[in-house]
Amino acid sequence: MMQLYKILFFNSMIMGTLIAISSMSWLGMWMGLEINLLSIIPLMNSSKDMFSSEASLKYFITQTMASLVLLLSVTLMMVTNEFITPLVNSTLVILLNSALLTKLGAAPFHFWFPEVMEGLNWINCMILLTWQKIAPMALLMNNKTQANFLVLIIIASLMVSTIMSLNQVSLRKIMAFSSINHIAWMISALMSSSSVWMVYLLVYIVITMNIAYLFNYGKLYFINQIPSIINQSKMMKLSFMANFMSLGGLPPFLGFLPKWFTINWMIINKYPLIALILIVTTLIMLFIYIRILMTSLILSYSEPKTITTQMNQIPSIMSNFITISSLMSCTLMFNLF
């Protein structure tokens, strides 16, 4: 019975996102976001864990507030359509974008994101980091007229994610601030080219799902727990290294490809300063990812000499293949361009 209602709400969550991104009116998009919100709350909530109940309540309150602001701005746009002035129009567009960015978790509207992540298990964290990004981003793509406002959001997200990640020991909060950093990259890709944004989002979802699977497999929630799991086998160590280097955008791993596309298109569209800030802050995030791996790289643990590939390690091997096989795709791209 427990699994049955989870399947029902999971399908409803997917349906809400599809309604939001395929709707032709803002009211239809708002309705899709609401269906998505009301479907993910039962998936987050657990009667056995008070932290998940607290996280789901925080998520519900924040998302409801953003939905109300979204509905208010859309209604005002519809009512004042005949008498609207450019100043009022730009204000309402900024209000609408602020609601979408709050749902997305971009800085400075990020206050709820790390706190909600801290109370969830890795499966729910994976949904929050991947699937829940699709609908607000797609709606933001329909409404990207205020370029100066989006530039401020990009810079704020980069600053917040890099500074707040430096002192963290919780892996869930590190992944939350990493997501805020990638949101800045995705908004930059959105301003430049919609197709580049789709490539970036797809690659980010693949890498994040791999990392969330590894953390869930080892029941890891803090940095000091990593060496006990990562040093069990060389395959596990390779999995962590490849996926974190890819998340940081280190060439020639898979995560470098969309970042390279984004920088290329931003320079073409005359945004060289933002591209420079993106590159510098990514180097700081790369330092944070290496700090996660450092204890397992420099400390020696006893490992079994025989190679044992269990069934539960098969997804890990597949995720490594996806991440490292991008060596070939990156080489082909370099030859094409």
Side-chain angles (χ1 to χ4, degrees):
M1 187 65 185
M2 184 78 76
Q3 298 300 322
L4 186 62
Y5 92 87
K6 285 191 175 182
I7 293 171
L8 175 67
F9 282 116
F10 186 76
N11 289 329
S12 178
M13 180 189 73
I14 293 173
M15 184 183 71
T17 301
L18 296 178
I19 289 172
I21 64 177
S22 60
S23 179
M24 297 296 290
S25 69
W26 280 105
L27 288 177
M29 296 173 190
W30 172 79
M31 185 181 69
L33 289 172
E34 289 302 298
I35 293 171
N36 175 268
L37 169 63
L38 294 175
S39 302
I40 195 173
I41 296 297
L43 295 177
M44 285 184 177
N45 203 358
S46 173
S47 58
K48 299 178 182 178
D49 187 6
M50 66 176 182
F51 296 109
S52 66
S53 302
E54 180 188 352
S56 60
L57 186 60
K58 288 177 182 175
Y59 185 76
F60 176 75
I61 292 171
T62 311
Q63 297 292 310
T64 305
M65 183 183 69
S67 296
L68 287 173
V69 174
L70 176 68
L71 189 61
L72 173 67
S73 58
V74 169
T75 308
L76 287 175
M77 280 184 181
M78 293 170 64
V79 170
T80 60
N81 191 22
E82 296 180 4
F83 312 102
I84 203 160
T85 62
L87 180 62
V88 175
N89 186 29
S90 61
T91 306
L92 291 176
V93 169
I94 288 174
L95 196 65
L96 180 60
N97 284 345
S98 299
L100 293 174
L101 291 164
T102 304
K103 284 186 167 292
L104 203 56
F109 312 105
H110 69 287
F111 50 90
W112 60 271
F113 195 20
E115 301 300 324
V116 170
M117 284 278 291
E118 189 66 23
L120 300 177
N121 59 22
W122 279 114
I123 302 300
N124 288 325
C125 284
M126 182 173 65
I127 295 173
L128 200 61
L129 289 170
T130 56
W131 185 259
Q132 293 302 97
K133 296 283 183 290
I134 296 174
M137 272 284 181
L139 269 59
L140 197 64
M141 183 171 59
N142 298 331
N143 199 29
K144 53 183 180 179
T145 55
Q146 296 293 327
N148 293 331
F149 176 69
L150 291 179
V151 167
L152 290 176
I153 296 296
I154 290 167
I155 295 173
S157 298
L158 292 172
M159 297 296 291
V160 165
S161 60
T162 50
I163 293 170
M164 297 296 289
S165 299
L166 287 171
N167 225 10
Q168 295 295 334
V169 294
S170 169
L171 293 174
R172 285 173 292 191
K173 283 192 175 180
I174 289 174
M175 290 301 293
F177 289 117
S178 169
S179 177
I180 294 171
N181 186 272
H182 283 280
I183 285 170
W185 276 90
M186 280 187 263
I187 295 173
S188 304
L190 202 63
M191 291 171 59
S192 306
S193 170
S194 300
S195 56
V196 173
W197 164 73
M198 291 181 69
V199 171
Y200 198 111
L201 182 65
L202 182 63
V203 171
Y204 173 71
I205 287 174
V206 169
I207 298 169
T208 305
M209 287 178 68
N210 288 339
I211 293 175
Y213 165 76
L214 292 170
F215 285 152
N216 187 56
Y217 168 74
K219 299 294 183 287
L220 304 174
Y221 295 100
F222 296 95
I223 288 180
N224 58 2
Q225 296 173 342
I226 290 180
S228 59
I229 298 297
I230 199 174
N231 289 291
Q232 286 184 0
S233 66
K234 287 184 172 61
M235 181 57 67
M236 190 63 68
K237 188 176 289 190
L238 180 63
S239 300
F240 271 87
M241 288 176 60
N243 284 297
F244 270 109
M245 294 299 101
S246 186
L247 189 66
L250 192 72
F253 293 105
L254 182 61
F256 169 68
L257 196 62
K259 291 193 174 184
W260 179 45
F261 285 162
T262 305
I263 292 167
N264 184 33
W265 275 94
M266 290 204 74
I267 292 172
I268 291 172
N269 289 317
K270 306 296 188 295
Y271 292 113
L273 184 60
I274 303 174
L276 180 64
I277 297 171
L278 286 167
I279 294 167
V280 171
T281 50
T282 300
L283 292 176
I284 302 173
M285 291 303 295
L286 198 57
F287 161 74
I288 291 159
Y289 300 145
I290 292 173
R291 184 170 66 93
I292 295 173
L293 301 172
M294 188 58 71
T295 51
S296 60
L297 293 177
I298 63 175
L299 296 178
S300 59
Y301 278 76
S302 57
E303 294 180 359
K305 298 300 181 185
T306 56
I307 300 174
T308 57
T309 304
Q310 301 173 357
M311 285 303 294
N312 54 11
Q313 288 183 344
I314 297 298
S316 173
I317 296 170
M318 290 175 63
S319 70
N320 282 336
F321 176 75
I322 292 170
T323 307
I324 300 174
S325 63
S326 63
L327 293 167
M328 181 173 62
S329 62
C330 286
T331 308
L332 289 173
M333 289 293 176
F334 275 120
N335 289 332
L336 287 174
F337 286 91

